[in-house]
Structure formats: structure tokens, C-alpha cells
Amino acid sequence: MQLLKDRILRDGKVFPGNVLKVDSFLNHQMDVSLFCEIGKEFHRRFAEDEVTKILTIESSGIGIACLAAMYFGVPVVFAKKNKTKNIAGDVFTSRVESFTHGRIYDIIVSKEFLHKEDKVLLIDDFLANGSALLGLASLVKDAGATLVGAGIVIEKGFQTGGSLVRGTGLRVESLATVASMEDGTVQFS
Ligand code: 5GP
């Protein structure tokens, strides 16, 4: 998606540890017009898949998922990062290793909001090592729902997540794939 790539080149900042900061339009301040275009593009790519629900993870995925959901006409469910030791109530749960914070946490979704009849599209801002997507996919599997695929805004193609997740048979559509970030310069594949 050229609009997105241009924006990354203009406003993205490369940080140590292979972190791309896009706080000025995606992760902190949010460019809602850009989110609309991103949502439209996800809809174009998954229009034939009869999606009934979009599943994302708090917090950076939520805004993107909401705008995409407008075009699909379906609800968004976001997996919560569980902060307490006790996992309360009737929930699906899974483990995710945070790429940016380097710690492991449980994610939960209430059983009320994922059903076996659902056709679920996963949406997230980044794909790095694939832990977030695999965690979300596991919640969908536990619910007995159908996993349609995953829509990713920025895939870091030089990390292992893309091949790991695609290797499970999941369809992953990334709108911008970064091939390298050497010397602070972003190159797309
Ligand atoms: P993964 O689970 O694929 O290793 O990492 C995906 C998650 O880590 C995303 O939800 C995203 O929030 C965060 N993340 C991974 N890499 C980056 C990055 O380069 N920049 C930012 N801003 N977030 C990232």
C-alpha cells in the first residue's frame, strides 16, 4: 500500500533493537484518515471471506481494527492483556511474548464474544516474531471458530513471524513489508 509506505518513510523512526517507531500516525497519535484507507484495503483483500468478527489485541490494534470493522460491518473484539494472576470467569486464554516489552503475559477473551459459528479476521499493527498472532489464533481455535486470515499493517519481513505464522497455513496479508532497517533506513520488499 503505497500511501502507507510513503508515510513510514516520511515519519517512521528506527530505534535500536529493530523497533520501528510510528507514534506520530499509528501507535500514539492516530491518523484516522490513514486508518480509513487501511481499513478499506483490508476489506478489499478479505471481502469474499464472509468475516463475522474482527479480533485484535490491546492496545495498538484497536483503532485500526475499528476502522476496518466499519467496512466489514462487523464487531471488533479485543483480547485483553490479563494483569491479575487469577484468570477470572468464562474466558479463552493464551500466552503472548511481547516483542517491545520483552515479557510474557496472558491474553483473554470472554467466551461470550467468540463462537464456533464466527469467521474471524485477525488484525494487528505489527508482525515481528509472530507471538501476538499465534496467541490470537489460539483463542479462535479454542472457540471452535473459523480463522479467515490476518491483516497486518507493518510486517518486519526480516524477523521470523511471517514464515512462522504462514507455516501454520494461516493467510497473512501485510500492507507494508519492511525488508531491512539497517543504518536507520527503512527498505521495503
Ligand atoms: P510479535 O508478537 O509478532 O513479535 O510482535 C507484534 C507486536 O509487538 C505488535 O502487536 C506490536 O505492538 C509490537 N511490535 C513488534 N515490533 C514492533 C515495532 O518495530 N514497532 C512497534 N511500534 N511495535 C512493534
Side-chain angles (χ1 to χ4, degrees):
M1 188 181 170
Q2 199 54 48
L3 183 71
L4 173 65
K5 290 179 182 171
D6 291 344
R7 191 63 180 270
I8 294 167
L9 289 178
R10 199 184 81 188
D11 294 332
K13 293 188 174 76
V14 178
F15 275 63
N18 281 332
V19 173
L20 178 61
K21 278 265 184 195
V22 284
D23 278 4
S24 66
F25 62 95
L26 194 73
N27 287 144
H28 194 9
Q29 175 168 261
M30 297 186 282
D31 181 337
V32 179
S33 319
L34 178 66
F35 281 25
C36 279
E37 295 307 315
I38 288 170
K40 243 185 245 174
E41 182 59 21
F42 282 140
H43 182 251
R44 193 182 68 74
R45 295 187 189 207
F46 290 99
E48 309 301 318
D49 294 281
E50 299 171 345
V51 172
T52 65
K53 210 155 272 185
I54 291 179
L55 177 65
T56 188
I57 186 164
E58 69 174 350
S59 54
S60 298
I62 297 175
I64 302 151
C66 285
L67 271 295
M70 290 287 293
Y71 294 95
F72 285 93
V74 301
V76 174
V77 178
F78 65 92
K80 297 188 176 194
K81 292 173 180 167
N82 199 42
K83 281 152 197 120
T84 59
K85 279 224 167 94
N86 296 327
I87 292 174
D90 238 1
V91 294
F92 299 114
T93 179
S94 158
R95 289 226 133 158
V96 167
E97 187 175 348
S98 162
F99 176 78
T100 37
H101 301 109
R103 65 181 194 90
I104 293 175
Y105 51 88
D106 294 310
I107 57 169
I108 57 166
V109 164
S110 167
K111 289 187 178 172
E112 217 182 320
F113 305 124
L114 273 186
H115 307 120
K116 66 177 181 346
E117 299 78 21
D118 277 320
K119 292 186 175 180
V120 181
L121 173 64
L122 308 179
I123 296 250
D124 205 4
D125 57 345
F126 275 89
L127 173 57
N129 290 331
S131 184
L133 270 193
L134 291 176
L136 290 173
S138 156
L139 299 178
V140 175
K141 185 165 169 272
D142 288 351
T146 304
L147 190 51
V148 161
I152 296 294
V153 181
I154 304 172
E155 176 173 345
K156 293 190 291 179
F158 54 89
Q159 291 185 236
T160 54
S163 50
L164 192 67
V165 176
R166 289 184 182 95
T168 69
L170 187 67
R171 176 180 166 205
V172 180
E173 292 281 341
S174 300
L175 303 189
T177 302
V178 176
S180 74
M181 304 200 301
E182 273 152 41
D183 303 323
T185 308
V186 173
Q187 306 246 347
F188 297 105
S189 40

